[in-house]
Amino acid sequence: FQGHFFYENLAVKVPYDYFQVFDFFNQQNPEERVAVLPIPWYWAWLQPKWGTINSGFIWYGIPQPVTDLAFMPWGKANENFYWDLDQAVFSKNPVLLKSVLDKYDISWVYLDKNILNEPGRKMTYAAYEEVINSVQGISLAGQFGNIELFRYQGKAAALNNFTGYKNSLTDVGPRYQYDNLDQAFLNYGNYYTGDNNQIYYPFRSLFSGKNPSDIEFKVTEDADSYYFTAQIPTNFTNWHLVADEPFKEELTVTNQNLAKRQYQPQISVNNNVLTVKVDKKTTLFYDSQQDNGFLRLVNDACEKNQTGTAEMQQIPDNGWQFTSIDSNNCIKIPLPNLSQRYGYLINVGSVNDDKRGLLLDLTNETTDRNDIETYLDNDGSNHNYFFVAAPRGFYDLGYSLFFNNISEGREKVVNTLEKIKVYQIPFYFLKNIKLVKNTASANNSIFYLSQTYNPGWLAFAGGKLLPHVLVNNWANGWLINTNSQSPVTIIFWPQYLEYFGFILLAAAALRILLIKGKSKDKF
């Protein structure tokens, strides 16, 4: 009551810039989505240079929905937006950024240059501004101190209350869980995923930013080649294969001897399995078992606990065993000559502890941030992992592989790193492989709701329940008859459980009153 709800010495004065932003957005359409930048990493906590670490607050001051990092952990669609945006921004690719803004119906881009851009500090705010300003249809709408607001005149302008009609959409499959580059949207724009795919991308996701168990592609190998394989649905019949010429991707590789070679992926289909075979010899860029520098590594790539244990012992076939007790235990393998315009396949052989697997980071030396960060399995087994590093900046150069054998407290963690190999892969070639049905394309009309897909949403037209489909791998859509003049009504049926709860509450209260009334009558 005396105004001391917050401890004065911990209070931070919020700069006036933010209140100007609030005033600006409160005069704009509340039904327009705002993309928030920067995105230095995937954690919600950010450090502004004017005050304390926080997880964001602008959504308290503006009526528009925002894509802040604070909301990313609460749904796969939120997280996939982050990965899509991450790929576009850190590839410095305005075409890709435009596709992300269109896919998620973004009308505004909010760039807060007050944020200390760690990690990713080498991705300057000038670089952010350059890629944003290069997007067709975007313009600076306002600047308030270190905050810049960009207006994007994209596809979201056609929506009303986040709903609208989308015509001539194609049924594209399969649905994916995680990815950072939606090739179907780049190729076709809006699409939906239903029960009768007209187009099927076997390698829809080549994403490695999650746990190994979340990876949705499969790679095998023999002595001479590695193989990307994908299962084709048995009901996907009467199709033809479409694949771009791989040399359009400038698939000229340079091996360690600087001899330029070219390679040609080979595609085959057998028993509903599509296989892309790539030669190892001409695509190999790094092999730890042939690297004298790897044999001379010491575990000094991170700070160790001087009272703990951090040991590194060489094993046969040029591998390393790490033993840790209450300490970090790290090595770093520099790969300075890898051009980031290409994609890479990272092959890691390990024997894993059953307490905690190795932490693997692929550090981008241009942006100084991790493009891949994951723990290997902790199942006590031998593994042969394959991770894909997507292409980044066309002129960017250099990666590092970082491994950490982490122990906390008295646990003894022992992991073995047997091999590391890095191959260049035909990334865009793989992403663009598609199966197209030979029958006439079924282009459908969709009633669209620009919110995360949830089976609780129902739509009715003409007294009939409409078929619910996934649009652009994240949003809600319903197939409609193009000749129908009936209005569409949508509801979120779980909301009615709240009303049912109120009825039960009222009924219970009424019953109590009646019981009390009868009790009084007895006296």
Side-chain angles (χ1 to χ4, degrees):
F1 294 104
Q2 297 180 6
H4 301 296
F5 186 77
F6 294 104
Y7 179 46
E8 287 84 351
N9 289 343
L10 293 180
V12 173
K13 182 176 176 60
V14 178
Y16 184 59
D17 307 354
Y18 295 91
F19 297 98
Q20 290 179 296
V21 169
F22 296 163
D23 290 340
F24 177 88
F25 273 121
N26 276 284
Q27 298 174 27
Q28 310 302 321
N29 186 348
E31 299 173 3
E32 295 179 334
R33 190 169 283 126
V34 181
V36 177
L37 292 173
I39 48 168
W41 58 0
Y42 50 76
W43 299 103
W45 299 97
L46 298 174
Q47 172 70 67
K49 58 188 177 184
W50 48 264
T52 186
I53 293 174
N54 66 82
S55 60
F57 57 86
I58 67 166
W59 54 88
Y60 294 112
I62 69 176
Q64 292 81 5
V66 300
T67 66
D68 196 274
L69 290 172
F71 306 113
M72 190 188 74
W74 308 114
K76 289 181 180 178
N78 294 7
E79 185 174 341
N80 267 323
F81 170 78
Y82 166 81
W83 294 121
D84 283 340
L85 187 63
D86 171 273
Q87 179 64 23
V89 168
F90 291 99
S91 298
K92 307 180 184 74
N93 188 330
V95 174
L96 196 54
L97 179 56
K98 183 180 188 301
S99 76
V100 174
L101 300 180
D102 284 333
K103 177 179 174 179
Y104 293 96
D105 304 312
I106 304 296
S107 298
W108 297 91
V109 176
Y110 166 100
L111 179 63
D112 187 353
K113 295 192 289 185
N114 289 308
I115 302 299
L116 299 176
N117 200 12
E118 298 274 359
R121 58 184 176 274
K122 292 183 181 178
M123 178 69 178
T124 65
Y125 281 108
Y128 272 98
E129 291 169 326
E130 182 178 0
V131 68
I132 293 170
N133 284 313
S134 299
V135 173
Q136 183 180 0
I138 208 164
S139 59
L140 182 66
Q143 183 165 0
F144 306 98
N146 282 324
I147 302 173
E148 295 178 336
L149 305 178
F150 297 87
R151 181 74 165 120
Y152 176 58
Q153 300 290 346
K155 296 181 179 180
L159 299 178
N160 180 18
N161 196 23
F162 299 103
T163 64
Y165 292 90
K166 294 183 181 293
N167 299 314
S168 301
L169 268 63
T170 301
D171 190 340
V172 175
R175 178 176 182 169
Y176 62 82
Q177 297 297 312
Y178 297 103
D179 197 21
N180 59 353
L181 195 153
D182 190 346
Q183 194 64 50
F185 192 86
L186 283 170
N187 290 348
Y188 295 99
N190 293 308
Y191 63 89
Y192 76 97
T193 303
D195 298 326
N196 187 28
N197 300 151
Q198 296 296 311
I199 297 171
Y200 191 88
Y201 287 86
F203 303 107
R204 190 77 197 274
S205 172
L206 294 177
F207 183 63
S208 298
K210 301 288 289 182
N211 294 326
S213 59
D214 294 313
I215 288 177
E216 298 174 57
F217 60 88
K218 183 177 181 181
V219 182
T220 59
E221 65 174 338
D222 58 26
D224 301 317
S225 306
Y226 58 87
Y227 305 85
F228 282 85
T229 61
Q231 189 76 34
I232 300 170
T234 55
N235 63 349
F236 200 88
T237 58
N238 193 24
W239 52 266
H240 66 277
L241 179 69
V242 177
D244 291 342
E245 289 290 333
F247 295 112
K248 291 181 180 179
E249 196 184 340
E250 299 184 45
L251 295 182
T252 300
V253 301
T254 304
N255 69 6
Q256 291 171 310
N257 297 321
L258 303 181
K260 290 186 177 180
R261 304 179 181 182
Q262 291 182 327
Y263 64 100
Q264 176 71 44
Q266 300 176 25
I267 303 177
S268 62
V269 180
N270 187 28
N271 294 328
N272 286 95
V273 175
L274 186 146
T275 301
V276 177
K277 174 184 177 181
V278 183
D279 177 65
K280 281 184 173 181
K281 184 177 180 181
T282 54
T283 60
L284 180 66
F285 267 80
Y286 177 80
D287 184 352
S288 64
Q289 296 172 329
Q290 305 297 324
D291 178 17
N292 291 329
F294 181 77
L295 303 180
R296 295 192 296 268
L297 284 174
V298 293
N299 54 346
D300 60 354
C302 61
E303 186 175 348
K304 293 176 285 190
N305 183 359
Q306 298 302 316
T307 63
T309 299
E311 297 176 351
M312 178 179 174
Q313 181 179 4
Q314 193 168 352
I315 62 172
D317 298 324
N318 299 338
W320 290 103
Q321 185 179 80
F322 302 90
T323 302
S324 304
I325 301 175
D326 194 25
S327 181
N328 291 315
N329 193 353
C330 310
I331 61 169
K332 181 178 180 180
I333 304 162
L335 304 168
N337 297 321
L338 294 191
S339 171
Q340 294 183 23
R341 70 180 64 176
Y342 305 118
Y344 295 95
L345 182 68
I346 302 168
N347 179 206
V348 176
S350 65
V351 182
N352 297 354
D353 197 295
D354 59 1
K355 303 180 189 68
R356 190 193 301 259
L358 287 167
L359 172 67
L360 180 155
D361 291 341
L362 178 68
T363 303
N364 185 317
E365 293 298 335
T366 297
T367 59
D368 196 27
R369 67 194 297 274
N370 295 331
D371 285 355
I372 297 176
E373 183 173 359
T374 187
Y375 276 98
L376 306 187
D377 295 291
N378 60 335
D379 56 4
S381 301
N382 293 38
H383 285 273
N384 190 38
Y385 294 102
F386 291 95
F387 302 95
V388 168
R392 289 298 206 179
F394 194 82
Y395 298 106
D396 295 345
L397 186 67
Y399 291 102
S400 293
L401 275 169
F402 174 89
F403 292 90
N404 190 358
N405 192 65
I406 303 172
S407 167
E408 296 177 351
R410 293 178 293 177
E411 65 176 2
K412 182 179 180 180
V413 178
V414 180
N415 283 287
T416 300
L417 187 58
E418 296 184 322
K419 67 173 182 178
I420 304 164
K421 295 184 180 181
V422 180
Y423 303 92
Q424 184 187 322
I425 62 170
F427 180 87
Y428 294 114
F429 174 73
L430 288 165
K431 292 284 285 187
N432 274 290
I433 294 174
K434 56 191 174 185
L435 307 177
V436 181
K437 283 193 175 178
N438 295 326
T439 55
S441 177
N443 293 318
N444 293 281
S445 293
I446 300 287
F447 182 77
Y448 175 68
L449 171 63
S450 179
Q451 290 195 27
T452 300
Y453 180 91
N454 189 294
W457 287 106
L458 302 177
F460 303 87
K464 295 182 179 180
L465 181 65
L466 299 176
H468 194 185
V469 295
L470 179 69
V471 179
N472 297 336
N473 206 75
W474 79 276
N476 298 275
W478 291 270
L479 295 172
I480 60 173
N481 188 332
T482 54
N483 298 320
S484 174
Q485 300 297 317
S486 301
V488 177
T489 301
I490 60 174
I491 65 170
F492 188 66
W493 74 260
Q495 185 69 46
Y496 290 90
L497 296 177
E498 177 189 4
Y499 305 142
F500 182 65
F502 288 146
I503 293 172
L504 290 178
L505 184 64
L510 180 60
R511 180 173 175 78
I512 292 171
L513 291 174
L514 290 174
I515 291 173
K516 285 185 175 181
K518 289 180 179 180
S519 299
K520 290 180 179 180
D521 291 341
K522 292 179 180 180
F523 292 99

